[in-house]
Amino acid sequence: MKITILTLFPEMFNGFKENSIIKRALNKGIVTIDIINIRDYTKDRYGRVDTPPIGGGAGLIMKCQPIVDAIKSVSSNKTHKIILSPKGEKYCQNKAVQLSKLEDILIVCGHYEGIDERVNNFIDESISIGDYVLTGGEIASMAIADSLIRLLDGAITNSSLSEETFENNLLEYPQYTEPKEFEGYKVPDILYTGNHEAIEKYRRKEALKITKIYRPDMFEKHVLTKQDLKLLKEIDNKIENPKWLEQALEKGKKFTK
């Protein structure tokens, strides 16, 4: 995969490319990351890439000319062009999986008070990483790039991907390390039994439980299996009110075999 990022602050990406999974993926040739300085494409006589908004208003707006020229210079007909914007589709794991199947992606990072609206005529989609304000799109672009790269073949093991949070709309089950007891908090005994079937059942139950408690929005999207139903009925009533299961059934929730 090729990822191209257009930014006013290319130095922000130095550490991003030099650590952990991203660095290994680059070294293996699994992905290439090109950081393009938008300032290199301005035709402004003073080298500016921003200007006060027409009609008045606070702050500065990024000019369309340098951004569009940069896009045209570094992309092709195969490039999927993304602009980071609060108007865009909210980013999620399903979107990451979808984008990870593409070969060539370009991301435009905004800054200041926004980007000239006409830039949208030269991109394919807008994406938002959440309902909050950042000083620019650089951090958001790193988050998207990271989420894509780790899904590429060879970046990390398939087993790590299969049991992750957000897969099948469930949070990941709790994980533990040694020692067995730390300041009064103990690792569940079942994890020491060596009974892989029982451990798998325990972990599935925990995933269902914590998703229902902490992310009911995700739980509503999860398609429960017959095994899931059995596990949910076993959950301690002191932690879970069983009425939620009845309510799910009343809503006509479909269950797989």
Side-chain angles (χ1 to χ4, degrees):
M1 170 181 279
K2 177 184 178 182
I3 299 176
T4 304
I5 300 175
L6 307 190
T7 174
L8 294 176
F9 303 95
E11 64 277 3
M12 289 183 66
F13 295 87
N14 293 339
F16 174 73
K17 296 170 62 177
E18 289 298 322
N19 291 281
S20 189
I21 293 171
I22 307 302
K23 182 177 182 179
R24 292 199 298 270
L26 287 167
N27 290 339
K28 290 180 180 179
I30 295 171
V31 65
T32 61
I33 302 176
D34 292 337
I35 309 300
I36 305 300
N37 192 337
I38 297 171
R39 298 179 190 275
D40 292 341
Y41 292 86
T42 184
K43 294 179 179 178
D44 184 274
R45 60 187 295 184
Y46 300 108
R48 295 189 62 177
V49 293
D50 53 25
T51 186
I54 295 175
L60 299 170
I61 305 300
M62 291 179 66
K63 300 168 70 173
C64 59
Q65 176 272 312
I67 297 175
V68 172
D69 281 1
I71 291 173
K72 290 180 178 180
S73 176
V74 300
S75 65
S76 68
N77 293 333
K78 295 181 179 180
T79 305
H80 185 73
K81 307 171 190 69
I82 299 168
I83 194 167
L84 299 170
S85 167
K87 295 184 292 186
E89 174 185 353
K90 189 173 290 187
Y91 198 62
C92 64
Q93 185 65 15
N94 287 339
K95 188 64 176 181
V97 172
Q98 176 186 337
L99 292 177
S100 70
K101 300 182 185 302
L102 303 178
E103 296 182 359
D104 190 352
I105 290 176
L106 179 146
I107 304 174
V108 178
C109 300
H111 213 79
Y112 307 122
E113 289 298 320
I115 295 176
D116 189 308
E117 183 68 19
R118 291 168 292 183
V119 172
N120 290 299
N121 296 298
F122 300 88
I123 58 97
D124 297 308
E125 71 170 321
S126 299
I127 288 178
S128 168
I129 65 166
D131 297 336
Y132 47 88
V133 180
L134 297 172
T135 56
E138 284 74 22
I139 293 175
S141 70
M142 292 182 211
I144 292 174
D146 184 286
S147 69
L148 301 182
I149 293 169
R150 63 192 312 282
L151 292 173
L152 301 179
D153 289 342
I156 60 177
T157 62
N158 291 333
S159 59
S160 295
L161 292 173
S162 63
E163 297 182 346
E164 288 188 320
T165 291
F166 301 119
E167 291 299 323
N168 301 315
N169 293 304
L170 289 179
L171 295 173
E172 189 175 5
Y173 50 79
Q175 299 275 24
Y176 300 90
T177 62
E178 296 293 347
K180 182 176 182 180
E181 182 174 349
F182 179 75
E183 296 193 4
Y185 298 99
K186 297 180 179 180
V187 176
D189 290 335
I190 191 171
L191 298 178
Y192 287 98
T193 64
N195 186 332
H196 298 297
E197 183 177 350
I199 291 174
E200 182 179 353
K201 177 181 176 181
Y202 162 79
R203 286 175 166 171
R204 182 70 174 186
K205 185 190 292 187
E206 288 297 301
L208 290 164
K209 182 173 69 177
I210 64 175
T211 303
K212 176 58 185 175
I213 294 173
Y214 297 108
R215 290 296 303 273
D217 57 318
M218 285 175 55
F219 185 84
E220 285 297 317
K221 298 176 184 178
H222 174 66
V223 179
L224 295 171
T225 65
K226 285 186 176 180
Q227 180 194 30
D228 290 341
L229 288 173
K230 292 179 181 179
L231 294 175
L232 290 168
K233 290 178 181 179
E234 296 175 7
I235 293 175
D236 190 343
N237 287 337
K238 293 181 181 179
I239 299 176
E240 284 287 346
N241 185 340
K243 288 185 177 180
W244 64 263
L245 180 56
E246 297 175 8
Q247 293 171 352
L249 291 168
E250 289 175 0
K251 290 179 181 179
K253 195 172 183 66
K254 296 180 180 179
F255 304 108
T256 61
K257 296 182 179 180

